[in-house]
Amino acid sequence: MNSGKVVLALTIGLALTGCSQEKAPDFAGVSMKSDRADLESKGFVCKDVTLKDKQILSCKNFEMTSSVFGHDVRGVEVTFAQGQKNPYRIAVNANKQINTTEKMLTLFSELDKYYESIPDKSINMPNAVSRQWKTKDSNVLQFMYIQGVPGLLESSVMLSLNSTKNH
């Protein structure tokens, strides 16, 4: 009897461990192993979108709160290439969190400590900044700032994790 309970406990433990590892968050509380059903069950709304003559699936959760590099953000977007089961991009808008040059440079300094910078992918212009880092699993972290135009376009600060495998 006790051996049956031990086997059952081990089986449940292994099943739970396998499930939690499979969907462990990679970025902003979302896993690169998520699929559409996973996201929709967490309150994401998914829609087919045409982007630069390519069809993609964009899933957004405007209310989801998460932490990205120590900054609390609200709203997460997950993007799938056409026909792919898993996403290739998880992104958040960090306009309110990283709203000064000092905060941006502090973030860059922290990321440089833990990830390999990809300097040839950097853009530094007065109205736009883009930096990229390679993660240990060969995904790419990206920071992008685009200065707004008063009265026309709001400034934008995006942080994203981009898969090099799923698109």
Side-chain angles (χ1 to χ4, degrees):
M1 262 220 164
N2 285 341
S3 66
K5 288 181 183 178
V6 170
V7 169
L8 179 60
L10 284 173
T11 303
I12 291 172
L14 288 172
L16 290 174
T17 302
C19 290
S20 65
Q21 286 176 349
E22 183 179 328
K23 303 296 181 189
D26 290 311
F27 186 78
V30 178
S31 169
M32 281 291 197
K33 294 180 181 177
S34 298
D35 61 23
R36 181 179 184 160
D38 294 331
L39 296 173
E40 288 178 333
S41 73
K42 294 177 184 168
F44 281 78
V45 176
C46 297
K47 180 179 178 182
D48 289 318
V49 177
T50 302
L51 181 65
K52 296 180 184 178
D53 298 328
K54 287 191 329 188
Q55 195 70 16
I56 61 167
L57 177 67
S58 174
C59 297
K60 292 185 181 183
N61 185 323
F62 296 98
E63 301 303 317
M64 183 176 180
T65 56
S66 59
S67 180
V68 178
F69 308 121
H71 298 280
D72 293 332
V73 294
R74 183 177 191 162
V76 179
E77 180 179 7
V78 180
T79 309
F80 296 77
Q82 184 176 19
Q84 294 295 311
K85 180 181 176 185
N86 300 114
Y88 71 86
R89 182 174 184 257
I90 303 169
V92 297
N93 179 319
N95 285 2
K96 294 177 182 161
Q97 296 76 14
I98 305 171
N99 52 12
T100 66
T101 301
E102 182 181 333
K103 288 181 180 180
M104 180 177 65
L105 294 175
T106 300
L107 175 65
F108 292 171
S109 178
E110 283 297 307
L111 293 176
D112 285 340
K113 290 178 190 175
Y114 298 99
Y115 302 102
E116 181 184 341
S117 180
I118 309 173
D120 60 327
K121 298 286 185 175
S122 293
I123 297 171
N124 289 307
M125 299 177 358
N127 58 354
V129 175
S130 178
R131 291 275 310 266
Q132 294 185 9
W133 297 263
K134 191 182 331 178
T135 66
K136 64 181 178 185
D137 55 0
S138 297
N139 288 327
V140 174
L141 293 170
Q142 182 175 22
F143 171 92
M144 182 165 293
Y145 163 76
I146 299 173
Q147 183 178 8
V149 177
L152 292 175
L153 181 65
E154 187 178 322
S155 293
S156 175
V157 176
M158 297 293 295
L159 293 168
S160 63
L161 179 67
N162 303 285
S163 171
T164 55
K165 303 170 197 142
N166 296 336
H167 72 289

